[in-house]
Amino acid sequence: MVGDHHGEEVRNKQVLARDYIDGNPKEEDMYLRTGTILLKVPEGSNAVLVKNLYLSCDPYMRGIKAKVQDRLFYSFAPHSPVVGYGVAKVLDSGHPDFKKGDLVWGVTKWEEYSLITMTESLFKIQHTDVPLSYYTGLLGMPGMTAYAGFYELCSPKKGEYVFISSAFGAVGQLVGQFAKLMGCYVVGSAGSQEKVDLLKNKFGFDEAFNYKEEHDLDAALKRCFPEGIDIYFENVGGKTLDAVLLNMRLHGRIAVAGMISQYNLDQPEGIRNLLTLVYKRVRIEGFTVYDYYHLFPKFLDLVLPYIREKKIVCVEDVAEGLESGPAALVGIFSGRNVGKQIVLVAPE
Amino acid sequence: MVGDHHGEEVRNKQVLARDYIDGNPKEEDMYLRTGTILLKVPEGSNAVLVKNLYLSCDPYMRGIKAKVQDRLFYSFAPHSPVVGYGVAKVLDSGHPDFKKGDLVWGVTKWEEYSLITMTESLFKIQHTDVPLSYYTGLLGMPGMTAYAGFYELCSPKKGEYVFISSAFGAVGQLVGQFAKLMGCYVVGSAGSQEKVDLLKNKFGFDEAFNYKEEHDLDAALKRCFPEGIDIYFENVGGKTLDAVLLNMRLHGRIAVAGMISQYNLDQPEGIRNLLTLVYKRVRIEGFTVYDYYHLFPKFLDLVLPYIREKKIVCVEDVAEGLESGPAALVGIFSGRNVGKQIVLVAPE
């Protein structure tokens, strides 16, 4: 029982970064250390002390060739624990919104126990009839990203044509399923035949293609969308965006969650087909999930029933133990994982 | 009195195109002819027969290297009168919404008298205490374009930083004045020192620059907007858009009315700074005024008082006589005109 350790100093295994990272992280950019931590919030602080249960490996956890101050928060800093999303249990709290025993999800650190001062990025878990790990995916940041981008930015209508790049990612999978539940025609692109097959057979996409096998993305899109695209959920940027622009329908909408193909280039690729914006009256909008967390209760109202009725499929790839974290995180950038990559730190 | 001619066949001077046009029109692409027209709407037709008073020279009246079917309407067709906006008086009408003697503005043809079948592009003029010619500019299509793009797409707030390219154009001038009236900080770019001076001294822009004199557009924007840009009213595209993207503020909005620098290129320039959309959560939206004409009454409620109180400046460049039309139209593409270019066909 965690209460046994309350106020005690205990060993705290951690995954730390060696330095800032430029580009995709490599295993040798991180190292393990065992420190100690007092299982008590300092007197007068409104921080929360948690035991981490699950940690989440997400594509945004990458160094980018952009000014650090442009980042909302940074996953890697020299000799500091990796920062990322997770699910945790509150052991002690100086914050009125959280009390001992609460389950929470939000921004935590890659270690066994964390003192969280940035409590505005912490959400109390109210529903535990669904797997806790879902709060790193479907019910957490990726889920809210899919929800905000698809419903709030794209105002989807039944029967519309929806394209999703990086469709097998944690966010893309959900956008596709939301779109199918809404009655849209849904096509996704992914980077392997295995993922393409799963998109069609497990996630119910109408069509999918392996972008690595397509010499002409414009032709691939025209094959999948003879009528054009109403909604594009953008995760990759570059050539894919340029090809999509050629295929947008009148009043099309593009929600830009990310441009994963562009972050680590010395110079981003030039996008040539923006005249489509004028000819087809298209809207492109970048967003981050942070601006939409106030919609979390509305989001749960939509998604929890879908989960309980098994109308949404959730595939997880669980790495066991904090030690396996670096390899798990590195793996998502080479597409090694099949499903949402999670690190199980401790059973509840 | 026009009634004298009712039902008569009269001579009808016309400006015709020799062929489709690819690129900016030249004078030799057009020619004058005098035909005849019966001043009566054919039996059973719901067309409207008008006497044209003013014709409007607008930057959209250009051939573009894009499929003709992508265009909403085309100004030039072989041996047909040039099609464009104008102000006219109804001589005969088969349409219930228009009657003899009504003044109208909308899409007409470059000739003395026109039989207009596309009556959905015709608006009745209700307010004649302002100059009729204003219905080709401030109170017509350019005015509605400025209104829709600025108010509807950009949701401006007092104190925001607004940049307008091609700011001396009929639309840009108005966006700048709307933005000033709203309490924004307004900067425009234009192509000559004379225009820059007028933007600042006559139209009340806070700052303006001659883009032809700036070697580094990013530096010019940083000089004018040390705090960055909230709203960009986009008329030109290309390098200007790329530089603007580097200077957008969080939650910035870009309304794309046109990309005049790109239409006639064999391949449009590549835009490299779209990652700003993600980092700064920026929205870019293309639009055409056709989707906003239902807001015309709301628009008049805003703008008519401004005109009557002389809070909006309107500069016109009037060419007299239909014969002067081709030269006037060609002139706007070289920036020869100072103010909204109009052709006076007949006094009311």
Side-chain angles (χ1 to χ4, degrees):
Chain A
M1 219 185 86
V2 292
D4 292 346
H5 306 290
H6 186 73
E8 271 181 50
E9 188 170 86
V10 298
R11 290 164 67 90
N12 191 22
K13 221 185 306 174
Q14 302 178 300
V15 175
L16 298 102
R18 287 195 199 282
D19 205 341
Y20 296 110
I21 294 180
D22 196 13
N24 296 344
K26 297 182 292 294
E27 282 197 58
E28 54 269 34
D29 292 330
M30 293 167 265
Y31 65 98
L32 285 150
R33 184 179 73 180
T34 300
T36 59
I37 188 169
L38 192 68
L39 295 186
K40 196 171 167 25
V41 167
E43 207 67 47
S45 156
N46 65 354
V48 173
L49 196 126
V50 301
K51 180 186 183 187
N52 292 305
L53 306 178
Y54 293 101
L55 294 171
S56 179
C57 300
D58 293 299
Y60 79 85
M61 299 171 75
R62 154 196 343 108
I64 53 173
K65 290 187 177 177
K67 276 176 269 149
V68 170
Q69 64 261 38
D70 280 350
R71 305 290 316 269
L72 287 159
F73 63 86
Y74 203 78
S75 299
F76 308 100
H79 307 295
S80 301
V82 173
V83 173
Y85 279 86
V87 171
K89 185 162 199 160
V90 176
L91 301 186
D92 189 25
S93 172
H95 194 287
D97 292 351
F98 302 98
K99 62 174 202 302
K100 186 180 160 181
D102 281 352
L103 289 162
V104 293
W105 73 269
V107 178
T108 182
K109 284 175 257 183
W110 283 38
E111 53 192 355
E112 289 177 286
Y113 302 96
S114 296
L115 182 69
I116 299 179
T117 52
M118 209 169 70
T119 48
E120 64 276 15
S121 302
L122 226 47
F123 300 84
K124 203 155 143 177
I125 293 174
Q126 314 272 9
H127 304 272
T128 54
D129 63 322
V130 292
L132 273 187
S133 58
Y134 281 19
Y135 289 94
T136 65
L138 176 47
L139 289 173
M141 184 272 286
M144 273 299 296
T145 303
Y147 175 82
F150 184 62
Y151 290 103
E152 293 293 315
L153 275 78
C154 294
S155 313
K157 287 183 284 294
K158 190 179 167 175
E160 287 195 315
Y161 299 96
V162 176
F163 178 57
I164 302 155
S165 56
S166 195
F168 199 75
V171 175
Q173 284 180 10
L174 291 173
V175 174
Q177 294 184 79
F178 287 155
K180 283 309 300 173
L181 286 164
M182 169 132 263
C184 297
Y185 177 84
V186 181
V187 179
S189 63
S192 76
Q193 191 55 46
E194 182 191 9
K195 292 178 181 177
V196 164
D197 293 341
L198 282 166
L199 285 175
K200 290 197 278 190
N201 303 327
K202 193 168 182 70
F203 294 105
F205 281 53
D206 295 289
E207 198 49 77
F209 63 85
N210 178 352
Y211 69 90
K212 292 177 183 168
E213 300 286 316
E214 301 289 346
H215 306 292
D216 181 344
L217 286 171
D218 178 40
L221 291 169
K222 286 192 165 51
R223 186 179 73 228
C224 295
F225 294 101
E227 308 284 327
I229 299 167
D230 292 298
I231 291 175
Y232 172 43
F233 196 98
E234 164 70 303
N235 286 306
V236 304
K239 289 176 185 62
T240 305
L241 175 57
D242 231 1
V244 167
L245 285 168
L246 292 176
N247 290 281
M248 290 303 288
R249 281 159 68 91
L250 212 58
H251 296 296
R253 291 133 276 155
I254 301 177
V256 187
M259 293 191 173
I260 200 169
S261 73
Q262 303 296 301
Y263 296 120
N264 296 322
L265 301 179
D266 283 317
Q267 190 181 32
E269 293 175 85
I271 300 297
R272 299 194 180 272
N273 298 319
L274 289 173
L275 275 173
T276 291
L277 301 187
V278 183
Y279 296 149
K280 298 290 177 67
R281 295 102 118 181
V282 166
R283 184 174 71 215
I284 308 191
E285 189 166 0
F287 74 104
T288 84
V289 66
Y290 312 102
D291 293 330
Y292 295 90
Y293 277 140
H294 61 283
L295 300 176
F296 190 61
K298 195 175 148 195
F299 162 73
L300 286 182
D301 287 347
L302 177 88
V303 177
L304 282 171
Y306 284 154
I307 296 176
R308 290 174 185 139
E309 296 161 22
K310 303 207 189 309
K311 286 188 176 164
I312 283 194
V313 176
C314 194
V315 179
E316 297 182 335
D317 194 331
V318 182
E320 303 218 355
L322 195 59
E323 308 75 15
S324 64
L329 178 58
V330 169
I332 69 165
F333 296 102
S334 59
R336 202 196 43 75
N337 58 308
V338 176
K340 174 76 182 92
Q341 183 66 58
I342 308 169
V343 179
L344 170 63
V345 183
E348 197 198 336
Chain B
M1 220 186 87
V2 291
D4 292 349
H5 305 292
H6 187 72
E8 271 181 51
E9 187 171 85
V10 299
R11 292 163 67 89
N12 192 21
K13 221 183 307 173
Q14 302 179 300
V15 176
L16 298 103
R18 288 196 197 282
D19 204 341
Y20 296 110
I21 294 181
D22 195 14
N24 296 343
K26 297 182 293 293
E27 281 196 59
E28 54 269 35
D29 292 330
M30 294 167 265
Y31 65 98
L32 283 150
R33 186 179 72 180
T34 300
T36 58
I37 188 169
L38 194 67
L39 295 186
K40 196 169 168 26
V41 167
E43 206 66 47
S45 155
N46 64 354
V48 174
L49 196 126
V50 302
K51 179 184 184 187
N52 292 307
L53 305 178
Y54 293 101
L55 294 171
S56 179
C57 299
D58 293 298
Y60 80 85
M61 299 172 75
R62 153 194 344 108
I64 54 173
K65 291 186 177 177
K67 278 176 275 162
V68 170
Q69 63 262 40
D70 280 351
R71 303 292 315 270
L72 286 160
F73 63 87
Y74 204 79
S75 301
F76 307 100
H79 307 295
S80 301
V82 173
V83 173
Y85 280 86
V87 172
K89 185 165 200 160
V90 176
L91 300 188
D92 189 24
S93 172
H95 195 287
D97 292 352
F98 303 99
K99 61 174 206 298
K100 185 181 161 181
D102 280 351
L103 289 162
V104 294
W105 73 270
V107 178
T108 183
K109 284 176 257 181
W110 283 38
E111 54 193 355
E112 288 178 286
Y113 302 96
S114 296
L115 182 70
I116 299 178
T117 51
M118 208 170 70
T119 47
E120 63 276 15
S121 302
L122 225 46
F123 300 83
K124 202 156 143 173
I125 292 174
Q126 315 273 9
H127 303 272
T128 53
D129 63 322
V130 292
L132 273 188
S133 57
Y134 281 19
Y135 289 93
T136 65
L138 176 48
L139 288 173
M141 183 274 286
M144 272 300 294
T145 303
Y147 176 82
F150 184 63
Y151 290 103
E152 293 295 312
L153 274 78
C154 294
S155 312
K157 287 183 284 293
K158 189 180 168 178
E160 286 196 316
Y161 299 96
V162 177
F163 178 57
I164 302 155
S165 56
S166 195
F168 199 75
V171 175
Q173 284 181 8
L174 292 173
V175 174
Q177 294 185 78
F178 288 155
K180 282 310 298 174
L181 286 164
M182 168 131 266
C184 296
Y185 177 84
V186 182
V187 179
S189 63
S192 75
Q193 191 55 44
E194 182 192 9
K195 292 177 180 178
V196 164
D197 292 341
L198 283 167
L199 285 175
K200 290 197 279 190
N201 302 328
K202 192 165 181 71
F203 294 105
F205 281 52
D206 294 290
E207 198 49 76
F209 63 83
N210 179 352
Y211 70 89
K212 292 177 183 168
E213 299 286 315
E214 301 287 345
H215 305 291
D216 181 343
L217 285 172
D218 177 41
L221 291 169
K222 284 191 166 51
R223 187 178 73 227
C224 296
F225 294 102
E227 307 284 327
I229 298 167
D230 292 297
I231 291 175
Y232 172 43
F233 196 97
E234 164 70 303
N235 286 306
V236 303
K239 289 176 185 65
T240 305
L241 175 58
D242 232 1
V244 166
L245 285 168
L246 292 175
N247 290 281
M248 290 302 289
R249 281 158 68 92
L250 211 59
H251 296 295
R253 290 133 276 154
I254 300 177
V256 186
M259 293 189 173
I260 200 170
S261 72
Q262 303 296 299
Y263 294 119
N264 295 323
L265 301 179
D266 284 317
Q267 188 182 34
E269 293 175 85
I271 301 296
R272 299 194 180 272
N273 298 320
L274 288 173
L275 275 173
T276 290
L277 302 187
V278 183
Y279 296 150
K280 298 291 176 67
R281 296 103 116 182
V282 165
R283 184 173 71 215
I284 307 190
E285 190 165 359
F287 74 105
T288 85
V289 66
Y290 312 102
D291 293 332
Y292 294 90
Y293 277 140
H294 60 283
L295 300 177
F296 190 61
K298 197 176 147 194
F299 162 73
L300 286 181
D301 288 346
L302 177 88
V303 176
L304 282 172
Y306 284 155
I307 296 177
R308 291 173 185 140
E309 296 160 24
K310 302 205 188 313
K311 285 187 177 165
I312 284 193
V313 176
C314 195
V315 179
E316 296 182 335
D317 194 330
V318 183
E320 301 216 357
L322 196 58
E323 307 75 15
S324 64
L329 179 57
V330 169
I332 67 165
F333 295 102
S334 58
R336 202 196 44 76
N337 59 309
V338 176
K340 175 75 183 90
Q341 183 67 57
I342 309 168
V343 179
L344 170 63
V345 182
E348 198 197 337

